[in-house]
Amino acid sequence: MTFLKFLISKVFLKNIGIAIGIIAALLISTFIILNIYTHHGVSHPVPDFTGLTQDQFEELIKEKDFRYNIIDSVHYDGFVPGAVVEQIPKAGSRVKKNRTIHFTINAISPEQVQVPNLTSYSLRSAKAILESYGLKTGALIYIPSEYTNEVLGQHYQGKAIEAGTSVEKGSVIDLLLGQGLSDKKTNIPDLTGLASEEARHFLVSVSLNLGATIFDSTVVNQDDSLFAFIWKQRPKPEAGSRLPLGSSIDVWLSTDSTKIMPDSLIIDSLAIDTVVMEENVLEEIGANEEEF
């Protein structure tokens, strides 16, 4: 009975009430502190870091109260070495303060690949192998041999290069090819309208080389050269004209489309421009008459 009386006594109930109040206050304080610490409900958009170098994105990371981690590096020709090429989370995602942004950056040094052994392969197979390694087919140098278009050697920057040698990805490898017992020739293709890189690939496919590349006054910078097209070549693609395998074709490039436009189209274009000018003049005369 004494114990039961104690449980219902004012002293016991008062102490229980105080204990419950203390526990409730601790729980409420804990939730408030956690909300403040974790910034509950507060998020910020992730900026687009693509193309920024480490010095640039470090400043932005600090400004936005984020953290960062570089997880990988790859090689892309279109990016500055060390620039961001990919990020996680992606730009525009909403994250909380102190979130870590993971970056993949463009390799500071160009990617290296090993030159494959192309000896004894056909020209077609050698081209496919070079492409699979991220390399380009350069000049085709024909030398006397029993077998036509068989690879007899490989050169890099004018010197013989052994298989297994490391070079930058995208490097150009010249091929020494067998000319065969016969004096084989090929038709001269018409390269008009092609870009220089397109022409080079096409000429390689018909066992010819791209010779001198000459730009006219419309090409003043690197960007212009990317949009320039061939408007003249030497030798010309005349009917019945043929060249020995491995010969070169010189090309002239421009961004002026009238250089490859047929004369009839040029005349029609000038006629249209004249009509438009006449209509504009008549409209101006009519407008002046209405004013008076």
Side-chain angles (χ1 to χ4, degrees), residues 24-153:
L26 288 174
L27 289 174
I28 293 171
S29 300
T30 300
F31 283 120
I32 292 174
I33 292 171
L34 285 174
N35 282 336
I36 295 173
Y37 180 76
T38 60
H39 302 279
H40 181 69
V42 179
S43 62
H44 306 277
V46 178
D48 187 0
F49 294 95
T50 305
L52 299 184
T53 61
Q54 187 165 354
D55 290 339
Q56 293 170 330
F57 71 67
E58 278 184 345
E59 183 176 346
L60 188 54
I61 284 283
K62 185 177 180 181
E63 177 185 330
K64 299 295 183 180
D65 290 325
F66 292 147
R67 301 176 183 178
Y68 77 91
N69 180 34
I70 298 175
I71 58 175
D72 196 9
S73 64
V74 293
H75 180 71
Y76 285 98
D77 291 333
F79 283 84
V80 175
V84 175
V85 297
E86 188 176 343
Q87 65 182 73
I88 302 173
K90 294 186 179 298
S93 303
R94 300 195 70 85
V95 299
K96 294 181 180 180
K97 184 179 177 181
N98 292 323
R99 173 67 185 270
T100 299
I101 312 298
H102 302 282
F103 293 131
T104 298
I105 65 171
N106 195 29
I108 295 176
S109 57
E111 184 179 353
Q112 300 285 310
V113 294
Q114 292 186 341
V115 177
N117 183 13
L118 305 172
T119 305
S120 299
Y121 283 96
S122 67
L123 172 59
R124 178 178 297 181
S125 297
K127 285 171 55 184
I129 293 171
L130 285 174
E131 289 178 4
S132 69
Y133 276 73
L135 299 171
K136 298 178 181 179
T137 305
L140 307 180
I141 306 167
Y142 281 86
I143 57 179
S145 173
E146 182 180 357
Y147 302 103
T148 304
N149 280 336
E150 178 186 19
V151 178
L152 304 175

Side-chain angles (χ1 to χ4, degrees), residues 141-173:
I141 306 167
Y142 281 86
I143 57 179
S145 173
E146 182 180 357
Y147 302 103
T148 304
N149 280 336
E150 178 186 19
V151 178
L152 304 175
Q154 51 205 51
H155 282 188
Y156 174 64
Q157 296 182 344
K159 297 180 180 180
I161 186 170
E162 295 183 359
T165 303
S166 294
V167 297
E168 290 184 11
K169 191 172 183 179
S171 295
V172 177
I173 305 299

